[in-house]
Amino acid sequence: MNGQQRVFIENIQPQVNCGDFPVKRVINDKIEITADIYCDSHDVLSAELLCKFQEEEEWQSTEMEHVINDQWKANFILTSLGSYFYTVRAWVDHFKSWHRDILKKIEADVDYKVDLKVGAILVQEVMDKHNDITEKDRKYLQKVEGKLTSDEASPESSTEPILSGKLLRTMVKYPVKKHISQHQKEFEVSVDRERANFSSWYEAFPRSLNPDGDKHGTFKDTINFLPYIEEMGFNVLYLPPIHPIGKTNRKGKNNNVKSETGEPGSPWAIGGKEGGHKSIHPELGTMDDFQELIEKSKEKGIEIAMDVAFQCSPDHPYVKEHPQWFKKRPDGTLQYAENPPKKYEDIYPIYFETEDWENLWEELKSVFLFWIEKGVKIFRVDNPHTKSLKFWGWAITEIKKEHPDAIFLAEAFTRPKVMYNLAKQGFTQSYTYFTWRNTKYDIVTYCKELVEKEPREFFRPNFWPNTPDILPEFLQVANRAGYIQRLVLAATLSSNYGIYGPAFELMERTPTRPGKEEYLNSEKYEIKNWDINNSGSLKKIISRVNAIRNENKALQNTHSLKFHDIDNEALVCYSKATDDLNNIILVVVSLDPDHTHSGWLHFPVRDFGMEVHDPYQVHDLISGSFYLWEGEHNYVEINPGVLPVHIFQVRRKVRSERDFDYFM
Amino acid sequence: MNGQQRVFIENIQPQVNCGDFPVKRVINDKIEITADIYCDSHDVLSAELLCKFQEEEEWQSTEMEHVINDQWKANFILTSLGSYFYTVRAWVDHFKSWHRDILKKIEADVDYKVDLKVGAILVQEVMDKHNDITEKDRKYLQKVEGKLTSDEASPESSTEPILSGKLLRTMVKYPVKKHISQHQKEFEVSVDRERANFSSWYEAFPRSLNPDGDKHGTFKDTINFLPYIEEMGFNVLYLPPIHPIGKTNRKGKNNNVKSETGEPGSPWAIGGKEGGHKSIHPELGTMDDFQELIEKSKEKGIEIAMDVAFQCSPDHPYVKEHPQWFKKRPDGTLQYAENPPKKYEDIYPIYFETEDWENLWEELKSVFLFWIEKGVKIFRVDNPHTKSLKFWGWAITEIKKEHPDAIFLAEAFTRPKVMYNLAKQGFTQSYTYFTWRNTKYDIVTYCKELVEKEPREFFRPNFWPNTPDILPEFLQVANRAGYIQRLVLAATLSSNYGIYGPAFELMERTPTRPGKEEYLNSEKYEIKNWDINNSGSLKKIISRVNAIRNENKALQNTHSLKFHDIDNEALVCYSKATDDLNNIILVVVSLDPDHTHSGWLHFPVRDFGMEVHDPYQVHDLISGSFYLWEGEHNYVEINPGVLPVHIFQVRRKVRSERDFDYFM
């Protein structure tokens, strides 16, 4: 303990779980760090933010500035993928304290002769301790020191360096850092590429993409399907598992426990005699075909996302090669998956409490590395919450050391704390409860939890109106307006979103039975033949929404989301903006797909760089209409029979007579 | 790393700064600990709270129970003064998981034969691992194991131990804790005696207590003054410094920089040729007199609180003996206190950045120990925020190791984070901003910060309407009702409060000049002659308020404070209750000392153990009036000309016809 240290540093933000987990950002983000810094008495402090890229590098320091109420701030730019570390240090700045106090004394004209000599000692100290002073500055400091110590110098001459501020400006270049306090913890920020923050996912089963429909679709069919996805403006194409499917206990149509000969089985029952998680289902094509798909997609700005589901069909090679990775039952059989009383006998879960966990972890990690090698950089991980959470923390960290551009989406629909833990362990993006948030209260409360509370720093939501597993009750009874509403909510509330298509755009909406959220004749168990050219398809409006996302930077982040009051429970209103406010999007969605609603919304113009009486233009990017608004309260009306949403771009500058040359 | 550990424990509460500082409680409190505990998948967990008294003892474990949403809780009783430590551990409970699942299978009548054998293995494991099983339980478990493994046993016979719950009840006595996760941090709770939570302070200058008034008061006069304080119901008598007062640069009347011969000086200019911080000012009496005062006070249930002001007059012995503990100026003189351009030349502050800090710290600590030896256990520390914060953390911890019943009140009026830090360092109670909180918004916001946010766990407020340093603007212009309002707010919002008397009860209210909050002819610089028998004195109402505090446990805690809506900005309404709801106090204070106000208040009766339509009685403990109320909304009217407050005791049970014998 050093009793001469007097400065306290606490509440460094952002931080997750007291610094136990990293916060998340994307490349070129400016991260602002704040901390509470103070000491006893009334001395002036100096503080610096320390940051470094990767653990082994040297600290770089940035001066912090005091904001208010003992809170200080500084920022740095994240120019590389990977991990940065940061902490804060501070010290009592005797020179600055002296400077502040003597200024007050000079102003009040009280005796300050001895104080001048105190100043001289501080100047001398800088000259003694710093060998990096420029020749010019050293000369200046020597001269000032002379004036401060001289008993003959006139008051004007000895106070001039103080009053002019020049002495201060020179001295702060050479701080004397005595009895430094440094926060005991180093915080981490994990930096991803831009796609982590902005992605538009389309999920499709390659086996259903054969245009004839009666044959098993292939990667080649998928390549032919790319223009359709490209037209709609998606940038991630996510494929369910592409590995060999088990034959033992294969599921039939509609999750039947027995399958007929020729039924394709669920792609999630992974592993057969043709191989396991590193093999390709022969009916889809070859590894070369798959790599061609990756290449062709890339040319269109689309990335292939792969499904990683760590579970095995009874025919998976692991079952014979590593029986210790599965739980054995007293009768000698392996434990199949179950959620009592339900059984899933086509699948063996992996036993994470195995004594052989180290080899297991290595092998599972190697699955990711294998596919990264083949060109995949985005993984949608199936049910990660049923695998050891610690494993994910380790695996994702290890993989990202070599491949900081890898992206992991956690498909976990489970309890909130487990979902958040997966994000803390390193998952880049996460599935959410959006799928079931339909009312204004639910939407607003949930989104505020994500963007205003702790999850903001580590949890990147990815909003899905539907998935092959979930046909939500809302969509089962929705008309076209209802589908558009869910699409626009997902695509504008969250900068990461996705749909399971073509089921979504074709408004496939029959459940297995009322009250269930499972699709009837689910594509999970059979090959579908989608009529993508159907005139009722939502393809056009989806294309428009994605085009708006692609053209407006404001929609490429989730964290700037702000809700605005609107006096109608059927209407929800929110905005997003870029940090520089050069792109502002204001969205109004009607939650009622059947009736026309109107309301007065409150848009706090001052938060967006305008004055209360400035006129501004709002341009509905969907309908193309323009409106001239003024002030904070404005009227909107939505007829869902036309369109259930407005996506306004707010343009701050509107021409007035003052803009004409002759006005001057 | 153990990859087989699957349980996560986070967000253990209460905690202060991620566990860097202890939380505070008083003896016999039940402390409830909560934590978020979860693992992957759907296994059942078991968790235990570990706690121990003092660091060196063994952990005691208490089973935790699941509350909701992966939050768990348990509590323990704090039966000793000093520090307790706590943390949490948890593990996957395979037996409980098995029991839950097989119950579902039995109920759904699906095949569970193999599961019975899994259960037998778990039962055998308990018998293998536990040598503390009672004879009776072992026999029972052996019998059950036989039934579970037997292929001949009837389904009824093998499921009976499961369905009856007896197997579960037996097994939970002998948990098998595999792959335990324990939170990496140990949290501390510091346990004080009850006075830490409930104290009524009266501040008086002994030198003004000579009944004749023209002589310097003494400890003997103070003993004669005790009945007056006792009658008013105070339990702490706090004396400004009782040490020798310096002569050099002694301050005169009204803070005059020069004093006349015979002027007594400020008691805070500590130290003269008669001694320093361990000596007594000769005019007050002897050490024996002081100890007699301590004894006589104790007999009346009053404790003497001593002022500790670590600063020295130029005549203090430390100045000669330890010049290195003061800052030297270039002209060879010592640095007096200043707040530029103001100077306080009668005082030298201590220089906490001295190289000799270790000896300094030891000496300052010894001042407390010296007076504890003499019988003082309560210290009001003067301006602790102008001394090293770290020093306080060290000194209070060291002193409390030997004297866990010592109480320290921090007299710091400074920036919020510094005030909170002093409490984190170990100050038992703290002065607050209450002195300047007069409007409803300010009172409610500030009190909510103290009792609903983080300070709740470490900061015990002590509310003062006035001090010798502060005659707040409100009191300068207040009538009698205004004084009573401030008294009742202080005494009922906070269980620790105090007044500076007799100035308060005599409504002394002249400032040095308008806009200043300093008393004219301040007692700090002269001997006063208080007319305590003046008929205008507030003595009676103060006595009544303290009697109410002493008789009502609800007012002896601060943390149960809850504000209730009342539809009038001039009225503030709040309640306090004991944990068992056997004592409920509801207070309404008018903030307008001049006009009659009325309003409807909303008292959420269900939070206080009543139903919405139960009638209940409210009894105004000040006026003695009774009212019969029903429901959540009730009318109150306050005429400040009579009394500006209601202090209601809420009595839940009101007799009705059902209470008579014949009603049955």
Side-chain angles (χ1 to χ4, degrees):
Chain A
M1 175 151 69
N2 173 6
Q4 295 168 286
Q5 263 179 9
R6 291 164 50 211
V7 182
F8 277 79
I9 302 165
E10 57 187 18
N11 191 27
I12 295 183
Q13 294 292 348
Q15 59 166 266
V16 179
N17 281 34
C18 299
D20 289 348
F21 297 102
V23 306
K24 295 194 175 93
R25 291 293 187 274
V26 297
I27 187 119
N28 295 324
D29 269 359
K30 184 164 79 177
I31 184 168
E32 182 165 286
I33 311 296
T34 60
D36 297 340
I37 307 175
Y38 53 83
C39 78
D40 63 89
S41 311
H42 309 287
D43 301 273
V44 181
L45 305 184
S46 283
E48 56 190 21
L49 170 65
L50 299 179
C51 58
K52 61 183 176 187
F53 180 62
Q54 311 294 30
E55 254 171 304
E56 58 280 2
E57 303 219 339
E58 294 277 299
W59 287 118
Q60 304 293 316
S61 80
T62 309
E63 205 182 328
M64 297 186 83
E65 72 177 288
H66 182 246
V67 187
I68 195 172
N69 192 12
D70 294 320
Q71 191 190 55
W72 293 63
K73 71 170 184 186
N75 60 60
F76 61 102
I77 311 279
L78 304 161
T79 51
S80 303
L81 294 184
S83 281
Y84 283 78
F85 296 83
Y86 54 94
T87 193
V88 168
R89 64 183 183 186
W91 60 93
V92 176
D93 194 314
H94 292 294
F95 178 78
K96 286 185 186 163
S97 302
W98 171 85
H99 197 271
R100 175 199 61 187
D101 291 346
I102 199 166
L103 266 182
K104 286 186 195 162
K105 289 181 184 180
I106 296 170
E107 203 173 303
D109 200 22
V110 301
D111 181 25
Y112 52 83
K113 261 193 205 127
V114 180
D115 298 277
L116 292 175
K117 296 201 166 114
V118 172
I121 293 170
L122 294 168
V123 171
Q124 184 59 50
E125 192 178 23
V126 162
M127 291 194 289
D128 292 347
K129 298 215 165 157
H130 274 276
N131 49 24
D132 59 338
I133 307 182
T134 64
E135 195 55 33
K136 199 177 144 206
D137 287 344
R138 188 172 288 276
K139 267 193 189 150
Y140 175 72
L141 291 177
Q142 276 163 345
K143 198 179 77 186
V144 173
E145 198 202 354
K147 284 188 194 174
L148 296 175
T149 45
S150 157
D151 289 330
E152 284 90 51
S154 70
E156 290 71 27
S157 127
S158 46
T159 58
E160 182 278 332
I162 301 161
L163 293 171
S164 70
K166 183 170 176 192
L167 175 58
L168 181 64
R169 285 194 301 276
T170 310
M171 288 285 281
V172 296
K173 290 194 251 173
Y174 310 105
V176 175
K177 306 175 187 179
K178 264 196 208 165
H179 312 311
I180 285 191
S181 299
Q182 180 165 331
H183 196 275
Q184 76 272 21
K185 200 126 190 176
E186 294 175 9
F187 300 88
E188 184 179 347
V189 50
S190 169
V191 182
D192 292 304
R193 60 192 168 108
E194 282 180 351
R195 183 67 72 240
N197 244 9
F198 175 56
S199 58
S200 316
W201 294 53
Y202 188 89
E203 174 173 4
F205 285 69
R207 69 188 186 186
S208 296
L209 299 184
N210 182 299
D212 299 340
D214 52 351
K215 279 201 285 181
H216 194 290
T218 62
F219 292 137
K220 295 215 182 288
D221 296 323
T222 312
I223 291 171
N224 294 330
F225 192 69
L226 290 173
Y228 175 74
I229 302 169
E230 184 190 19
E231 250 182 87
M232 281 195 287
F234 290 99
N235 54 33
V236 178
L237 169 58
Y238 150 49
L239 313 179
I242 57 170
H243 314 300
I245 296 171
K247 290 220 162 108
T248 307
N249 297 325
R250 178 178 282 192
K251 291 283 182 80
K253 203 170 150 78
N254 282 312
N255 202 17
N256 202 318
V257 289
K258 290 239 161 60
S259 58
E260 306 292 322
T261 314
E263 284 199 89
S266 160
W268 283 275
I270 296 170
K273 65 175 197 312
E274 308 88 348
H277 284 77
K278 294 175 186 167
S279 304
I280 282 180
H281 187 53
E283 291 185 81
L284 289 170
T286 63
M287 188 65 81
D288 285 345
D289 295 343
F290 181 58
Q291 289 191 280
E292 192 191 344
L293 168 61
I294 293 173
E295 280 312 306
K296 287 282 185 331
S297 304
K298 202 178 281 173
E299 287 166 16
K300 297 187 178 301
I302 296 169
E303 277 192 74
I304 296 297
M306 182 167 205
D307 192 301
V308 175
F310 282 138
Q311 55 196 16
C312 298
S313 99
D315 308 323
H316 195 293
Y318 286 164
V319 174
K320 274 203 185 124
E321 292 163 15
H322 305 284
Q324 76 279 19
W325 293 351
F326 302 90
K327 202 170 179 177
K328 206 175 228 162
R329 308 208 307 163
D331 63 354
T333 62
L334 296 187
Q335 179 65 60
Y336 45 78
E338 54 179 7
N339 182 11
K342 285 189 229 159
K343 303 179 192 179
Y344 307 93
E345 291 175 279
D346 59 335
I347 288 168
Y348 293 156
I350 284 169
Y351 179 51
F352 278 85
E353 282 192 20
T354 175
E355 296 289 332
D356 191 35
W357 62 271
E358 280 168 302
N359 290 319
L360 169 66
W361 286 22
E362 283 294 342
E363 172 60 23
L364 298 183
K365 184 185 78 176
S366 79
V367 171
F368 289 102
L369 295 175
F370 176 86
W371 293 106
I372 288 174
E373 186 75 13
K374 304 294 178 204
V376 177
K377 285 297 176 73
I378 305 187
F379 300 93
R380 177 271 197 193
V381 178
D382 188 80
N383 283 327
H385 61 291
T386 60
K387 285 91 199 172
S388 162
L389 302 168
K390 234 179 181 177
F391 160 72
W392 293 119
W394 171 83
I396 294 174
T397 306
E398 291 294 309
I399 294 162
K400 290 184 85 174
K401 274 182 195 160
E402 300 299 309
H403 305 283
D405 54 347
I407 288 177
F408 302 84
L409 165 63
E411 186 256 358
F413 292 110
T414 182
R415 294 155 7 246
K417 280 161 194 161
V418 177
M419 287 174 67
Y420 287 144
N421 185 283
L422 288 163
K424 291 173 185 174
Q425 299 297 343
F427 276 94
T428 325
Q429 302 181 355
S430 306
Y431 277 60
T432 70
Y433 301 130
F434 166 76
T435 315
W436 299 275
R437 296 290 178 271
N438 297 307
T439 65
K440 183 167 177 170
Y441 175 85
D442 278 354
I443 291 167
V444 173
T445 310
Y446 185 53
C447 290
K448 282 190 172 185
E449 175 176 323
L450 299 181
V451 302
E452 294 179 6
K453 299 193 178 168
E454 225 198 16
R456 175 186 178 90
E457 301 298 345
F458 63 84
F459 185 88
R460 289 199 193 95
N462 192 326
F463 279 7
W464 289 70
N466 74 328
T467 78
D469 290 316
I470 312 162
L471 169 63
E473 204 176 359
F474 181 90
L475 290 185
Q476 293 175 24
V477 299
N479 59 12
R480 189 177 179 86
Y483 268 78
I484 295 174
Q485 161 200 326
R486 295 301 292 170
L487 171 81
V488 169
L489 285 171
T492 57
L493 286 168
S494 175
S495 52
N496 297 302
Y497 93 110
I499 58 170
Y500 154 52
F504 187 85
E505 63 265 30
L506 298 179
M507 295 190 284
E508 172 77 25
R509 75 188 98 170
T510 316
T512 48
R513 52 192 165 94
K516 289 283 157 188
E517 296 200 324
E518 183 85 16
Y519 280 96
L520 181 68
N521 304 328
S522 167
E523 196 166 7
K524 288 192 290 182
Y525 310 106
E526 61 188 271
I527 292 172
K528 306 287 281 189
N529 182 13
W530 298 108
D531 176 17
I532 59 172
N533 295 316
N534 187 301
S535 64
S537 168
L538 297 169
K539 183 184 151 184
K540 277 221 173 121
I541 181 82
I542 294 172
S543 307
R544 187 71 207 116
V545 169
N546 278 333
I548 294 170
R549 280 168 53 91
N550 291 329
E551 287 157 14
N552 287 276
K553 279 260 172 207
L555 293 173
Q556 298 175 15
N557 76 72
T558 299
H559 68 268
S560 74
L561 176 67
K562 287 205 176 68
F563 288 93
H564 306 298
D565 285 342
I566 184 162
D567 59 351
N568 184 326
E569 273 302 294
L571 301 178
V572 57
C573 173
Y574 49 93
S575 68
K576 282 187 172 177
T578 51
D579 289 346
D580 59 12
L581 300 179
N582 280 335
N583 185 225
I584 304 169
I585 297 291
L586 181 69
V587 181
V588 186
V589 178
S590 170
L591 303 179
D592 178 347
D594 297 308
H595 308 94
T596 296
H597 283 271
S598 64
W600 288 87
L601 64 82
H602 177 240
F603 183 59
V605 294
R606 275 171 298 197
D607 297 351
F608 295 89
M610 293 176 276
E611 285 309 311
V612 169
H613 294 292
D614 285 351
Y616 52 100
Q617 188 200 71
V618 299
H619 172 196
D620 189 333
L621 301 175
I622 294 212
S623 72
S625 309
F626 291 87
Y627 304 89
L628 198 62
W629 283 5
E630 186 191 297
E632 306 208 314
H633 290 90
N634 287 284
Y635 178 81
V636 288
E637 188 176 293
I638 291 188
N639 176 354
V642 182
L643 258 185
V645 302
H646 287 301
I647 305 180
F648 294 122
Q649 183 179 357
V650 178
R651 297 215 177 80
R652 289 191 285 162
K653 185 132 174 42
V654 176
R655 283 179 76 84
S656 83
E657 75 281 12
R658 287 183 189 75
D659 296 316
F660 292 98
D661 291 339
Y662 59 73
F663 191 80
M664 301 296 289
Chain B
M1 173 150 69
N2 173 5
Q4 295 168 289
Q5 264 179 11
R6 291 164 48 210
V7 182
F8 276 78
I9 302 166
E10 58 186 16
N11 191 27
I12 296 183
Q13 293 293 347
Q15 61 165 264
V16 179
N17 281 34
C18 301
D20 289 348
F21 298 101
V23 306
K24 294 194 176 92
R25 290 293 186 274
V26 297
I27 187 120
N28 296 323
D29 270 358
K30 185 164 81 178
I31 184 168
E32 182 165 287
I33 311 296
T34 59
D36 298 339
I37 307 175
Y38 54 82
C39 79
D40 62 89
S41 311
H42 309 288
D43 300 273
V44 181
L45 306 184
S46 282
E48 56 190 21
L49 171 65
L50 298 179
C51 59
K52 62 183 175 186
F53 180 60
Q54 312 294 29
E55 254 170 304
E56 58 280 2
E57 302 218 340
E58 293 276 298
W59 288 119
Q60 305 291 316
S61 80
T62 309
E63 204 182 327
M64 297 187 82
E65 71 177 288
H66 182 245
V67 188
I68 194 172
N69 192 12
D70 294 320
Q71 190 189 53
W72 293 63
K73 71 170 182 184
N75 61 63
F76 61 103
I77 311 280
L78 304 160
T79 53
S80 303
L81 295 183
S83 281
Y84 284 78
F85 295 83
Y86 54 95
T87 193
V88 169
R89 64 181 182 188
W91 59 95
V92 176
D93 194 316
H94 291 294
F95 178 78
K96 286 185 186 163
S97 303
W98 171 84
H99 197 272
R100 177 199 59 188
D101 290 347
I102 199 167
L103 267 181
K104 285 188 197 161
K105 289 183 185 178
I106 295 170
E107 205 174 302
D109 200 23
V110 301
D111 181 26
Y112 53 81
K113 261 190 208 132
V114 179
D115 298 278
L116 292 175
K117 296 198 167 119
V118 172
I121 293 170
L122 294 167
V123 171
Q124 185 58 49
E125 190 177 25
V126 163
M127 292 194 288
D128 292 347
K129 297 214 166 156
H130 272 277
N131 49 23
D132 59 338
I133 307 183
T134 65
E135 196 53 35
K136 199 177 140 207
D137 286 345
R138 187 172 289 275
K139 267 194 189 145
Y140 174 71
L141 291 178
Q142 276 162 347
K143 201 180 75 188
V144 172
E145 199 202 352
K147 284 187 194 174
L148 296 176
T149 43
S150 158
D151 287 330
E152 282 87 54
S154 68
E156 291 72 26
S157 128
S158 46
T159 58
E160 182 279 331
I162 301 162
L163 293 172
S164 70
K166 185 169 175 193
L167 175 59
L168 180 64
R169 286 193 301 278
T170 310
M171 288 285 281
V172 295
K173 290 194 252 173
Y174 310 105
V176 175
K177 306 176 186 176
K178 265 196 206 163
H179 312 312
I180 287 191
S181 299
Q182 181 165 330
H183 195 274
Q184 76 272 24
K185 199 127 189 174
E186 295 176 9
F187 300 89
E188 183 179 349
V189 50
S190 169
V191 182
D192 291 304
R193 60 192 168 106
E194 283 181 350
R195 184 65 74 240
N197 243 7
F198 175 56
S199 58
S200 315
W201 294 54
Y202 188 89
E203 173 171 6
F205 285 69
R207 69 187 186 187
S208 293
L209 299 182
N210 183 298
D212 298 339
D214 52 351
K215 281 201 289 184
H216 193 288
T218 64
F219 291 137
K220 293 213 184 290
D221 295 324
T222 312
I223 290 170
N224 293 328
F225 191 70
L226 290 172
Y228 174 74
I229 302 168
E230 184 190 17
E231 252 182 85
M232 280 195 288
F234 290 100
N235 56 31
V236 178
L237 170 58
Y238 149 50
L239 314 177
I242 58 171
H243 314 300
I245 297 172
K247 290 221 161 106
T248 307
N249 297 327
R250 178 177 281 190
K251 291 284 181 81
K253 203 173 149 79
N254 282 313
N255 202 17
N256 202 317
V257 292
K258 289 240 160 63
S259 59
E260 306 291 320
T261 315
E263 284 199 271
S266 161
W268 283 275
I270 295 168
K273 66 178 195 309
E274 308 90 347
H277 283 79
K278 295 174 186 168
S279 303
I280 281 178
H281 187 53
E283 290 186 82
L284 288 170
T286 64
M287 188 65 82
D288 285 346
D289 295 343
F290 181 59
Q291 289 192 280
E292 193 190 344
L293 169 61
I294 292 172
E295 278 312 307
K296 286 284 184 336
S297 304
K298 201 178 283 176
E299 288 166 17
K300 296 189 179 300
I302 296 169
E303 277 191 73
I304 296 297
M306 184 167 203
D307 193 299
V308 174
F310 283 138
Q311 55 196 19
C312 299
S313 98
D315 309 324
H316 195 292
Y318 287 164
V319 174
K320 276 203 182 119
E321 292 164 15
H322 305 283
Q324 75 280 19
W325 294 351
F326 303 90
K327 201 169 181 178
K328 207 173 228 162
R329 308 209 303 165
D331 63 353
T333 63
L334 296 187
Q335 179 64 60
Y336 44 79
E338 54 178 8
N339 181 12
K342 285 190 232 159
K343 304 179 191 181
Y344 307 93
E345 290 176 280
D346 58 335
I347 287 169
Y348 292 157
I350 285 168
Y351 179 50
F352 278 85
E353 282 192 20
T354 174
E355 296 288 332
D356 191 34
W357 62 272
E358 279 169 302
N359 290 318
L360 169 67
W361 285 23
E362 283 294 341
E363 172 60 23
L364 298 182
K365 183 185 78 174
S366 80
V367 170
F368 289 102
L369 294 174
F370 177 88
W371 293 105
I372 288 175
E373 187 74 14
K374 303 295 178 202
V376 177
K377 287 295 176 75
I378 305 187
F379 300 93
R380 176 271 197 194
V381 177
D382 189 81
N383 283 328
H385 61 289
T386 61
K387 285 90 198 172
S388 160
L389 302 169
K390 232 180 184 177
F391 160 73
W392 293 119
W394 171 83
I396 295 175
T397 305
E398 290 294 307
I399 294 163
K400 290 185 85 174
K401 275 183 195 161
E402 299 299 310
H403 305 284
D405 54 348
I407 287 176
F408 302 84
L409 166 62
E411 188 255 0
F413 293 109
T414 181
R415 299 171 341 262
K417 279 161 194 161
V418 177
M419 288 176 67
Y420 287 143
N421 185 281
L422 288 162
K424 290 174 185 173
Q425 298 296 342
F427 276 95
T428 326
Q429 301 180 355
S430 305
Y431 278 60
T432 68
Y433 302 129
F434 166 76
T435 315
W436 300 274
R437 295 291 179 269
N438 297 307
T439 64
K440 184 168 177 171
Y441 176 84
D442 278 355
I443 291 167
V444 173
T445 309
Y446 185 52
C447 289
K448 283 190 172 185
E449 174 175 325
L450 299 181
V451 303
E452 292 178 6
K453 299 193 179 170
E454 225 199 17
R456 175 187 178 90
E457 301 298 343
F458 64 84
F459 184 89
R460 289 198 195 93
N462 193 326
F463 278 6
W464 290 70
N466 73 328
T467 78
D469 291 317
I470 311 163
L471 169 62
E473 202 175 3
F474 181 89
L475 291 184
Q476 294 175 23
V477 299
N479 59 12
R480 189 177 179 86
Y483 268 79
I484 295 174
Q485 164 200 324
R486 294 300 293 168
L487 171 81
V488 170
L489 285 172
T492 58
L493 286 169
S494 175
S495 52
N496 297 301
Y497 93 109
I499 58 171
Y500 154 54
F504 186 86
E505 63 266 29
L506 298 178
M507 295 190 284
E508 173 78 24
R509 74 190 96 169
T510 317
T512 48
R513 52 191 164 94
K516 289 282 156 189
E517 296 200 324
E518 184 85 16
Y519 280 96
L520 181 67
N521 303 327
S522 166
E523 197 166 7
K524 288 191 288 182
Y525 310 106
E526 62 187 271
I527 293 171
K528 306 288 280 188
N529 181 14
W530 297 108
D531 176 16
I532 60 171
N533 296 314
N534 188 301
S535 64
S537 168
L538 299 169
K539 183 183 149 183
K540 278 220 171 122
I541 181 81
I542 294 172
S543 307
R544 187 69 208 117
V545 169
N546 278 333
I548 293 170
R549 281 169 51 90
N550 291 329
E551 288 157 13
N552 288 277
K553 281 262 171 203
L555 293 173
Q556 297 175 16
N557 76 72
T558 300
H559 68 267
S560 72
L561 176 65
K562 287 205 175 68
F563 288 92
H564 305 299
D565 285 342
I566 184 163
D567 59 349
N568 183 326
E569 272 303 292
L571 301 177
V572 57
C573 173
Y574 50 92
S575 69
K576 281 186 174 178
T578 52
D579 288 347
D580 59 11
L581 299 179
N582 281 333
N583 186 225
I584 303 169
I585 297 291
L586 181 68
V587 181
V588 186
V589 179
S590 171
L591 303 179
D592 178 347
D594 298 307
H595 308 94
T596 296
H597 283 271
S598 64
W600 287 87
L601 64 82
H602 177 239
F603 183 58
V605 295
R606 275 171 298 196
D607 296 351
F608 295 89
M610 293 177 278
E611 285 308 312
V612 169
H613 294 293
D614 285 349
Y616 53 100
Q617 188 199 70
V618 300
H619 173 196
D620 189 332
L621 300 174
I622 295 212
S623 71
S625 309
F626 291 87
Y627 304 88
L628 199 62
W629 282 5
E630 187 192 298
E632 306 209 313
H633 289 90
N634 288 282
Y635 178 80
V636 289
E637 186 176 295
I638 291 186
N639 175 351
V642 183
L643 258 183
V645 301
H646 287 302
I647 305 181
F648 294 123
Q649 183 179 355
V650 179
R651 296 213 178 81
R652 289 190 285 162
K653 183 134 176 41
V654 176
R655 284 179 74 84
S656 82
E657 74 282 12
R658 288 184 187 75
D659 296 318
F660 292 98
D661 292 338
Y662 59 73
F663 191 80
M664 301 300 289

